[in-house]
């Protein structure tokens, strides 16, 4: 018999009955008769117990934390004080209903209710009679049910066999109390003073170390003699366990050799496990040995496993290192050693998958298809390591998922953002408490194959902390020359990562360690054009939001003009996350009208967009006229796409060629203004724009209408190429620019842009700044100049 402890049904504190011995009624046969004469009501409020069972006659304290339980107890305590008590089938269920409770329970009387300092309620109850739930009549505010009494089949008063069973129970209970150091000796007093046979059975059953299911089976046994025999069997098992435990302790204290002691403890443990129906130490070893037979290990891995298994076999199962060794070998057996999924090299299907999931991004898709083509031609080639680089929200992570589907491989993703512990990559040495393998090995175990598509998300956001540099640990992972023998500290043996297709994603390349960046093929995932965003919204975002809000395409339609208005007026990004949020607002507005049965326009108008989203928040791509000298339209690239900028730069060189008086530089100060200064604009691409601006300013000649430019200059007037051409060109077109001046070397970038985006634009390619001035500055002088 265990120490008399009752675990409350809300998994809170443990209450020990033996501390309040006066609450345990030493029931006499007369007390029992009085309980038997009591009539049960037709219906009762039902209190579910989470992890214990109440028996008739037994008094237990219970701590209630659930609102429904507290309300039931308070109302019953203020009324008849009679409630029905049943045990839950699953203690994890927080709000049990009719299907979650057992049908046989015990009518209980509330003896005392105590308010605890932590806000919970402790109630002391005594079991009365068993009942069966006929029908649950209510579940709110707490369970209520119609009940029926369940009578017990009692043996005859002069039954010698039953009397012998009761005497055995009492004697064995006293032996258990005597032999267990955890049970106070006062418990013997309680056992000796119980006169009622049925109460003795119930009292012992309530206080044994049994599961809720086992106690419930005892409670549901109608024949009192059978219940007594079942209780005696459980007590015998517990008594044998106690004898074995005491015997082991005495043997350990004797002067035995190390070998004899280990053998004896193993045998005792085996005996205990067999008594409990568990798996013995030898059975565990044999199970692992059988699992290892199916593994496709090479000779080195096989030898390592056998060595570690022999070490576990020699260990004492009771020491802490045993569980560590078992977890280590379980990981060894769970890893997909030389287990590969078959690649599907249908490149046409792969292209369809990429087109289905991602609109636009033609260069990126072409590059991915090229990689898959090489893999198909050279099946023994080590998988390439790609880095998808671009602004947030353009689909870098989802591209990795599409590649996995196209290849027929498992998809694995780990987020590296904010990671600052090297052990997250390489794992801990298994000698430490709480040691675990790194995320690479854990993810491969989850994938179940050795050649998944592995997405390393946000690789540019790795940090360096006190526990090492995880980006340096990734050098081995992402090096095709090293990763065939990747060493995880926990695994302690090399694992082949060469067949894994690694795909990293990054918003910027500047924060990636140079050695790490050198190991990856960089694929630039540029932002989407307005036209592409509109199509993405039409084909993907709107259908997705309609589905998530329980609607279909017949309930809301947003045309291309309205989608373009949302893109231009309410979003400023390269990707489409903010666009999706704005579309979600439109869908929610329609969903609200549908739910409230109010009228709304199924086909969204421009006025509807303004009504739901408010006035347009962004005014982009302003074009300044050429009525003032020194104003030039430049093209800039920012993280939110292409914008046009206005710039001036002071220049003194070549004053003679430009027919300028040198005194003018000493007479006037020059101020350069770049509108929307809060938007960062990096790089030297405004060089020719600033130079043109100054020439126009000092000569007071107008700049050509509807012309824009971008390019870097040198001190000698050479024009150099710049980046972000696609975004800049699209921004210029939105601002109704007609002519664009670029460096000759940027001509190749223009050829990569679709012709439909270039319609209406004229390009001038230059090598010298003098060519820029001839193209951009007219002979017309500014009337009434105010600038100088």
């Amino acid at each position: 018999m265990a120490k008399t402890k009752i675990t409350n049904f809300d998994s809170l504190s443990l209450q020990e009955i033996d501390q309040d011995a006066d609450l345990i009624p030493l029931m006499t046969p007369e007390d029992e008769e009085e309980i038997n004469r009591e009539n049960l009501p037709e219906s009762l409020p039902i209190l579910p117990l989470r992890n214990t069972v109440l028996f008739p006659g037994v008094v237990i304290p219970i701590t209630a934390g659930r609102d429904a339980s507290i309300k039931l107890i308070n109302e019953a305590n203020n009324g008849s004080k009679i409630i029905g008590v049943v045990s839950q089938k699953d203690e994890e269920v927080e709000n049990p209903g009719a299907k979650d409770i057992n049908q046989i329970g015990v009518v209980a009387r509330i003896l005392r209710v105590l308010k605890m300092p932590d806000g919970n309620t402790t109630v002391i109850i005594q079991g009365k009679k068993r009942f069966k739930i006929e029908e649950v009549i209510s579940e709110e505010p707490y369970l209520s049910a119609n009940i029926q009494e369940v009578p017990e089949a009692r043996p005859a008063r002069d039954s010698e066999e039953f009397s012998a069973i009761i005497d055995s129970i009492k004697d064995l209970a006293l032996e258990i109390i005597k032999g267990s150091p955890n049970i106070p000796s006062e418990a013997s007093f309680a056992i000796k003073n119980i006169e009622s046979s049925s109460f003795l059975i119930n009292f012992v059953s309530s206080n044994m170390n049994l599961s809720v299911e086992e106690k419930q089976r005892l409670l549901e046994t109608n024949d009192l003699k059978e219940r007594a025999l079942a209780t005696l069997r459980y007590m015998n098992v517990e008594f044998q366990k106690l004898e074995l435990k005491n015997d082991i302790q005495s043997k350990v204290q004797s002067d035995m050799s190390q070998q004899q002691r280990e053998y004896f403890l193993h045998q005792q443990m085996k005996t205990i496990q067999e008594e409990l129906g568990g798996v013995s130490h030898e059975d565990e070893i044999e199970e692992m040995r059988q699992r290892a037979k199916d593994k496709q290990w090479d000779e080195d891995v096989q030898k390592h496993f056998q060595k570690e298994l022999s070490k576990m076999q020699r260990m004492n199962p009771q020491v802490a290192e045993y569980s560590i060794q078992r977890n280590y070998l379980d990981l060894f057996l769970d890893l997909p050693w030389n287990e590969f999924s078959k690649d599907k090299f249908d490149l046409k299907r792969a292209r369809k998958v990429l087109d289905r999931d991602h609109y636009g991004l033609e260069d990126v898709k072409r590059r991915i298809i090229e990689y898959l083509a090489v893999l198909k031609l050279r099946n023994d080639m080590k998988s390439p390591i790609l880095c998808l680089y671009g602004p947030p929200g353009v689909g870098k992570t989802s591209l990795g998922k599409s590649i996995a589907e196209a290849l027929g491989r498992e998809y694995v993703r780990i987020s590296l953002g904010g990671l600052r512990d090297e052990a997250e990559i390489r794992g801990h040495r298994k000698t430490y408490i709480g040691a675990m393998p790194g995320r690479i090995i854990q993810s491969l175990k989850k994938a179940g194959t050795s050649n998944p598509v592995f997405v390393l998300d946000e690789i540019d956001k790795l940090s360096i902390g006190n526990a090492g540099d995880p980006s340096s640990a990734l050098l081995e992972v992402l090096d095709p020359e090293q990763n065939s023998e990747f060493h995880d500290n926990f695994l302690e043996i090399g694992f082949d990562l060469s067949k894994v297709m690694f795909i990293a994603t990054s918003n910027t390349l500047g924060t990636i360690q140079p050695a790490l960046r050198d190991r990856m093929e960089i694929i630039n995932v540029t932002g989407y054009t307005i036209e592409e965003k509109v199509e993405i919204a039409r084909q993907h975002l709107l259908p997705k939001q309609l589905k998530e809000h329980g609607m279909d395409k017949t309930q809301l339609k947003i045309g291309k003009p309205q989608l373009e208005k949302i893109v231009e007026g309410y979003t400023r990004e390269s990707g489409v996350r903010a666009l999706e949020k704005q579309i979600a607002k439109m869908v929610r507005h329609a969903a609200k009208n549908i739910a409230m049965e109010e009228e709304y326009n199924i086909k969204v108008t421009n006025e509807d967009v303004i009504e739901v989203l408010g006035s347009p928040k962004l005014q982009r791509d302003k074009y300044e006229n050429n009525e003032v000298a020194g104003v030039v339209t430049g093209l800039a690239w920012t993280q939110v796409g292409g914008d046009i900028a206005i710039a001036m730069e002071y220049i003194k060189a070549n004053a003679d060629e430009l027919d300028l008086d040198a005194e003018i530089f000493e007479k006037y100060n020059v101020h350069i203004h770049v509108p929307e200064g809060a938007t960062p604009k990096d790089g030297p691409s405004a060089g020719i724009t600033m130079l043109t601006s100054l020439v126009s300013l000092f000569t007071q000649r107008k700049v050509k209408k509807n012309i824009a430019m971008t390019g870097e200059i040198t001190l000698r007037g050479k024009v150099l190429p710049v980046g972000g051409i696609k975004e800049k060109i699209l921004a210029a077109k939105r601002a109704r620019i007609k002519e664009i001046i670029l460096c000759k070397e940027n001509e190749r970038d223009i050829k990569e842009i679709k012709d439909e985006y270039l319609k209406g634009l004229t390009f001038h390619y230059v090598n010298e700044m003098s060519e820029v001035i001839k193209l951009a500055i007219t002979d017309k002088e500014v009337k009434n100049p105010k600038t100088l």
Side-chain angles (χ1 to χ4, degrees):
M1 183 186 299
K3 188 177 181 182
T4 311
K5 286 186 178 181
I6 302 300
T7 308
N8 69 77
F9 65 99
D10 276 310
S11 300
L12 296 174
S13 62
L14 296 176
Q15 303 293 331
E16 298 188 1
I17 294 180
D18 52 65
Q19 292 177 352
D20 294 305
D22 61 308
L23 292 176
I24 304 176
L26 306 180
M27 187 175 292
T28 64
E30 290 75 18
D31 297 331
E32 187 178 0
E33 284 296 326
E34 184 179 347
I35 290 178
N36 291 335
R37 286 195 299 269
E38 293 179 6
N39 294 322
L40 298 187
E42 293 183 359
S43 63
L44 280 176
I46 303 298
L47 179 66
L49 299 187
R50 195 190 288 270
N51 50 18
T52 191
V53 175
L54 176 66
F55 285 82
V58 177
V59 174
I60 61 173
I62 294 169
T63 300
R66 296 185 283 211
D67 293 341
S69 301
I70 294 173
K71 182 175 180 62
L72 182 153
I73 290 167
N74 290 334
E75 291 185 3
N77 189 47
N78 294 329
S80 66
K81 299 185 182 294
I82 301 298
I83 60 174
V85 176
V86 295
S87 61
Q88 291 182 204
K89 296 177 181 177
D90 182 359
E91 67 179 60
E92 299 298 327
V93 177
E94 184 61 31
N95 296 302
K99 67 179 186 304
D100 302 313
I101 58 176
N102 290 301
Q103 298 301 300
I104 301 296
V106 173
V107 174
R109 180 177 183 82
I110 297 176
L111 302 180
R112 191 182 300 173
V113 177
L114 305 171
K115 301 293 183 182
M116 306 305 289
D118 60 1
N120 292 326
T121 297
T122 295
V123 58
I124 300 173
I125 59 175
Q126 180 182 23
K128 295 292 185 180
K129 286 185 177 182
R130 297 185 310 151
F131 69 84
K132 180 180 181 182
I133 294 178
E134 292 292 319
E135 179 186 10
V136 173
I137 56 177
S138 173
E139 292 191 4
E140 296 294 339
Y142 43 74
L143 286 170
S144 298
N146 291 330
I147 65 168
Q148 182 179 350
E149 182 179 349
V150 180
E152 290 181 337
R154 295 172 175 266
R157 288 182 179 271
D158 57 353
S159 172
E160 294 183 1
E161 183 181 2
F162 182 68
S163 297
I165 295 172
I166 296 300
D167 290 341
S168 297
I169 291 175
K170 186 172 291 190
D171 292 342
L172 194 53
L174 294 173
E175 287 293 327
I176 292 174
I177 294 170
K178 181 180 178 181
S180 176
N182 297 323
I183 303 178
S185 58
E186 290 82 358
S188 301
F189 173 80
I191 296 295
K192 291 176 181 177
N193 285 276
I194 295 176
E195 299 178 8
S196 168
S197 299
S198 61
F199 178 65
L200 176 67
I201 297 168
N202 292 335
F203 182 77
V204 172
S205 300
S206 177
N207 289 286
M208 279 195 297
N209 278 334
L210 301 178
S211 67
V212 172
E213 292 78 8
E214 289 169 331
K215 288 186 177 182
Q216 183 67 28
R217 283 199 295 270
L218 287 175
L219 179 66
E220 293 178 359
T221 303
N222 291 330
D223 191 296
L224 191 60
K225 179 181 173 183
E226 290 183 10
R227 195 189 309 166
L229 283 170
T231 303
L232 188 59
R233 280 195 291 271
Y234 283 125
M235 293 177 71
N236 273 314
V237 171
E238 192 160 349
F239 183 64
Q240 290 176 35
K241 285 162 53 180
L242 181 61
E243 281 189 325
L244 286 171
K245 181 179 178 182
N246 292 335
D247 192 27
I248 290 171
Q249 290 176 347
S250 64
K251 291 289 184 182
V252 169
Q253 293 170 0
S254 65
D255 186 19
M256 293 190 302
S257 68
Q258 183 68 22
Q259 184 177 4
Q260 288 175 320
R261 183 165 59 183
E262 286 186 0
Y263 173 78
F264 179 78
L265 290 174
H266 286 157
Q267 290 299 111
Q268 294 298 323
M269 193 66 189
K270 181 179 179 181
T271 304
I272 293 171
Q273 288 171 334
E274 287 175 353
E275 289 291 337
L276 297 175
V279 180
S280 69
H281 174 50
E282 285 76 10
D283 291 341
E284 255 184 350
I285 300 293
E286 184 59 30
E287 180 190 353
M288 288 185 174
R289 192 172 282 116
Q290 292 300 321
R291 288 172 63 189
K293 289 181 179 179
D294 299 329
K295 288 294 177 181
Q296 302 175 19
W297 287 334
D298 56 36
E299 188 176 349
D300 291 340
V301 177
Q302 177 73 25
K303 285 181 179 178
H304 183 81
F305 175 80
Q306 293 298 338
K307 177 183 175 183
E308 295 295 325
L309 187 64
S310 298
K311 186 189 296 183
M312 176 178 168
Q313 194 169 8
R314 294 192 301 270
M315 280 185 176
N316 181 352
Q318 293 180 333
V319 301
E321 289 79 4
Y322 181 83
S323 61
I324 295 174
Q325 187 71 5
R326 184 179 59 197
N327 292 339
Y328 173 70
L329 292 176
D330 278 337
L331 172 70
F332 223 87
L333 291 165
D334 289 338
L335 282 175
W337 301 88
N338 297 319
E339 297 176 23
F340 306 101
S341 59
K342 188 175 181 181
D343 288 334
K344 299 175 184 177
F345 286 119
D346 185 346
L347 299 186
K348 292 183 179 178
R349 176 181 172 275
R351 179 71 196 206
K352 287 181 180 178
V353 171
L354 292 172
D355 287 339
R356 180 198 69 195
D357 296 339
H358 300 84
Y359 185 87
L361 304 178
E362 298 302 324
D363 292 343
V364 179
K365 293 176 187 175
R366 183 174 66 251
R367 191 88 170 269
I368 291 171
I369 293 296
E370 289 172 358
Y371 272 117
L372 299 184
V374 174
L375 277 177
K376 180 178 181 180
L377 295 176
R378 295 189 60 185
N379 203 23
D380 61 338
M381 171 188 173
K382 293 182 179 179
S383 294
I385 294 167
L386 309 178
C387 179
L388 301 177
Y389 151 68
V394 294
K396 300 185 296 296
T397 304
S398 60
L399 271 169
K401 198 167 188 177
S402 298
I403 293 171
E405 182 181 348
L407 274 177
R409 293 190 179 190
E410 293 294 323
Y411 170 75
V412 177
R413 171 188 168 272
I414 62 173
S415 178
L416 301 177
L419 203 70
R420 59 180 64 222
D421 188 350
E422 180 188 348
E424 293 285 348
I425 305 297
R426 290 191 183 276
H428 310 82
R429 298 196 181 278
K430 66 183 176 73
T431 53
Y432 297 118
I433 295 174
M436 294 178 63
R439 291 196 186 187
I440 303 294
I441 294 297
Q442 288 184 49
S443 298
L444 286 172
K445 172 187 170 183
K446 182 180 178 182
T449 65
S450 292
N451 63 335
V453 172
F454 209 123
V455 173
L456 301 169
D457 225 355
E458 310 288 1
I459 199 170
D460 56 320
K461 296 176 179 61
L462 285 170
S463 305
I464 299 178
N466 296 329
D469 180 6
S471 63
S472 297
L474 278 177
L475 294 177
E476 181 186 4
V477 176
L478 299 182
D479 191 339
E481 300 302 320
Q482 301 180 47
N483 65 10
S484 59
E485 285 291 323
F486 171 67
H487 182 84
D488 184 279
N489 290 328
F490 186 86
L491 197 60
E492 294 183 341
I493 192 170
F495 193 94
D496 185 5
L497 301 180
S498 62
K499 301 298 188 296
V500 178
M501 177 179 274
F502 286 103
I503 299 175
T505 71
S506 171
N507 296 136
T508 178
L509 299 178
T511 56
I512 302 177
Q513 190 186 97
L516 186 59
R517 186 170 66 239
D518 185 59
R519 282 161 167 78
M520 301 184 291
E521 295 284 342
I522 307 296
I523 298 181
N524 188 11
V525 185
T526 58
Y528 296 109
T529 65
I530 286 183
E531 294 80 1
E532 288 172 336
K533 287 183 180 180
V534 168
E535 286 302 315
I536 291 170
R538 188 178 66 85
Q539 297 180 25
H540 298 284
L541 304 183
L542 181 57
K544 175 186 174 184
Q545 289 300 321
L546 287 172
K547 183 179 179 181
E548 289 185 358
H549 288 80
M551 299 168 61
D552 57 50
K553 61 183 180 181
T554 63
Q555 294 174 298
L556 185 69
K557 297 178 180 179
I558 306 179
K560 285 187 178 181
Q562 285 71 40
L563 289 172
E564 186 170 341
K565 184 178 181 65
I566 295 173
V567 171
E568 289 190 317
Y570 301 91
T571 67
R572 188 164 198 158
E573 55 169 353
S574 294
V576 292
R577 285 201 182 109
L579 174 58
E580 185 173 8
K581 292 176 183 176
Q582 300 302 324
I583 290 175
K585 288 183 182 178
M586 300 297 300
V587 175
R588 284 197 299 272
H589 179 74
K592 183 261 296 182
N593 289 330
I594 293 172
M596 298 181 68
E597 298 182 354
E598 297 177 353
E599 292 186 3
Y600 72 101
N601 292 329
I602 294 177
K603 187 172 177 58
V604 173
T605 64
N606 290 341
E607 291 74 19
D608 293 332
V609 172
I610 294 174
E611 179 187 350
V612 177
L613 304 182
S615 300
K617 299 175 179 61
L618 303 172
Q619 191 173 4
R620 304 180 60 177
D621 303 333
K622 295 180 182 177
Y623 167 71
E624 298 285 345
N625 59 45
N626 68 338
E627 298 300 320
V628 179
V631 177
V632 185
T633 301
L635 297 175
W637 179 89
T638 70
Q639 285 193 344
V640 294
D643 282 331
I644 60 173
I646 304 170
M648 289 194 300
E649 171 69 11
Y650 183 80
I651 182 171
K652 294 181 180 180
N654 302 312
D656 293 339
E657 289 82 351
L658 297 172
D659 196 21
L660 293 175
D661 187 349
E663 292 183 0
I664 198 171
F665 303 117
E666 300 176 0
K667 187 176 180 181
Y668 297 102
N669 289 326
V670 177
H671 170 71
I672 300 174
H673 174 62
V674 181
E676 299 186 65
T679 304
K681 304 165 184 69
D682 298 329
S685 61
I688 66 171
T689 312
M690 293 179 178
L691 208 155
T692 303
S693 171
L694 282 169
V695 172
S696 170
L697 175 67
F698 291 128
T699 61
Q700 288 296 293
R701 287 188 291 168
K702 292 183 178 181
V703 176
K704 194 174 182 180
K705 275 188 176 182
N706 299 320
I707 194 169
M709 59 192 72
T710 183
E712 182 181 356
I713 59 169
T714 68
L715 289 174
R716 301 194 179 191
K718 293 285 185 184
V719 180
L720 303 180
V722 293
I725 294 298
K726 179 182 177 183
E727 287 80 2
K728 292 175 180 179
I729 298 305
L730 296 170
K733 188 178 178 184
R734 290 196 295 270
R736 294 180 173 82
I737 297 293
K738 304 298 182 185
E739 298 179 62
I740 296 176
I741 300 176
L742 298 169
C743 174
K744 178 68 175 175
E745 292 183 37
N746 282 128
E747 186 175 2
R748 63 178 182 270
D749 298 308
I750 299 299
K751 291 179 179 179
E752 294 179 359
I753 302 176
K754 288 185 178 181
D755 291 340
E756 60 189 271
Y757 300 144
L758 304 178
K759 198 173 292 183
L761 293 175
T762 302
F763 294 93
H764 303 285
Y765 303 105
V766 299
N767 291 314
E768 299 283 343
M769 190 59 214
S770 57
E771 300 175 61
V772 177
I773 295 173
K774 289 178 183 177
L775 288 167
I777 298 181
T778 67
D779 294 329
K780 296 180 180 178
E781 293 189 357
V782 178
K783 296 180 180 179
N784 303 319
K786 297 179 181 179
T787 309
L788 288 176

